[in-house]
Amino acid sequence: MDRLASTSALNLARSLYEAGIRDEPVLKAVANTPRERFLDAALGHKAYENTALPIGQGQTISQPYIVARMTEIILQCKPQKVLEIGTGSGYQAAILAQLVPQLCTVERIKSLQIQARQRLKKLDLHNIAFKYGDGWQGWPSKGPYDAIMVTAAAASVPTALVEQLTDGGVLVIPVGETSQQLLKVTRQGDKFVSEAIEVVRFVPLINGELA
Ligand code: SAH
């Protein structure tokens, strides 16, 4: 993105540094991204607070700390192609698209997908492919992916997603119902090694029909 960072976005990046985020490209992407454009005007004044906020349809834009944390985890494997499940507002996609060559993102609510696509286009982020579909299935025809990030909580790790990882690829996903653990699952050949990162809170990864 070819813009000057706003002071508010810069301050948000600083507070994420204070909270323990140390990956410089991630902090720069946060400082460069106008989070208020991913929210209704009425919530604009809260855009640079480190909190999750409603985006309509019962969904939320994730807390900036967790966006940055999940992003720094997947960047460790230097991914070329990344799949995001749960496009939502498009904010996480905006961060990722500045840091990886190719991003694919799947959303099951059409109206959110349309809005996110418009916002990302306006920010001149053109390395993103959008799919209206069920994230439990991933996006096999575009795969395999070096990293997959799920931004909604699943009851269990979806088999279809781990199958779409390259060897050495990483899946980051919140798993659980009331209390969720953020898991990092690394593919090692036919083996999948799982590591718990921290306790998190996400809206559920819906199982079933498209909205
Ligand atoms: N990454 C988003 C977070 C949005 S909240 C952001 O930065 O704003 C989670 C999103 O996951 C919601 O938009 C919700 O509609 C979507 N979602 C839930 N279940 C899904 C499923 N099975 N397939 C695809 N998207 C799903």
Side-chain angles (χ1 to χ4, degrees), residues 59-60 84 86-89 92 107-109 134-135 151 205-206:
Q59 305 304 319
T60 54
E84 178 198 23
T87 315
S89 68
Q92 172 74 74
E107 172 57 55
R108 69 176 282 281
I109 299 179
D134 175 16
T151 67
L205 184 70
I206 305 291

Side-chain angles (χ1 to χ4, degrees), residues 8-9 38 52 86-87 133 137 142 153 155 157-158 175 177 179 182 184 189-190 195:
S8 321
F38 295 86
T87 315
Q137 309 306 321
K142 292 262 188 196
V157 175
V175 174
E177 274 152 28
S179 168
L182 186 63
K184 175 186 177 190
D190 291 335
E195 190 187 325

Side-chain angles (χ1 to χ4, degrees), residues 144-148 161-167 169-171 185 187:
Y145 305 93
D146 306 305
I148 301 177
L161 295 187
V162 290
E163 283 172 350
Q164 287 165 45
L165 285 174
T166 53
D167 196 7
V170 164
L171 165 71
V185 182
R187 177 169 204 162

